[in-house]
Amino acid sequence: MDKILTQTAKPKIKQPKRFQVLLLNDDYTSMEFVVEVLKRFFSKSTEIAQELMLKIHIEGEAICGTYSHDVAQTKASQVVDFSRKNEQPLMCMIRELND
Ligand code: TYC
């Protein structure tokens, strides 16, 4: 005899992990360069980029965006490449978002 299923099967859908991209403060990267990075790689307006740059300068770091792992890793690499090409020591890292 077939068993009667009394429990409704719950579809287990795993949400993909999300990653924050952060810029870190340092004493040497110019403020103008950080504003350019925020506009170029994180699509910020000039005003928002200036605010975010100052937040990093004062607080030490800020979240610039949240993406899938691939996109976050690519953005962080692009920022570091662009910075080294322009002889700036700017640091960018990614962090898994726990929700
Ligand atoms: N602290 C830097 C300065 O005084 C400016 C700066 C801001 C550097 C943000 C990095 O992510 C950064 N020139």
Side-chain angles (χ1 to χ4, degrees), residues 23 33-42 79 82-83 90:
L23 282 185
F33 184 78
V34 179
V35 170
E36 172 59 25
V37 164
L38 289 165
K39 291 168 75 172
R40 184 183 288 241
F41 297 102
F42 300 98
V79 168
F82 183 66
S83 301
L90 181 62

Side-chain angles (χ1 to χ4, degrees), residues 4 31 46 73 76 82-83 86 89:
I4 300 164
M31 291 184 169
T46 304
Q73 189 58 71
F82 183 66
S83 301
N86 288 279

Side-chain angles (χ1 to χ4, degrees), residues 23-31 34 53 56-57 90:
L23 282 185
L24 309 184
N25 187 36
D26 67 74
D27 292 338
Y28 304 102
T29 305
S30 75
M31 291 184 169
V34 179
M53 180 280 293
I56 303 163
H57 177 69
L90 181 62

Side-chain angles (χ1 to χ4, degrees), residues 62-97:
I63 298 157
C64 303
T66 303
Y67 310 94
S68 66
H69 186 265
D70 268 18
V71 175
Q73 189 58 71
T74 301
K75 284 198 185 281
S77 301
Q78 286 173 336
V79 168
V80 171
D81 279 3
F82 183 66
S83 301
R84 298 305 169 267
K85 278 182 183 133
N86 288 279
E87 298 171 333
Q88 301 285 327
L90 181 62
M91 284 304 302
C92 186
M93 56 172 271
I94 72 169
R95 182 164 73 195
E96 189 179 333
L97 178 62

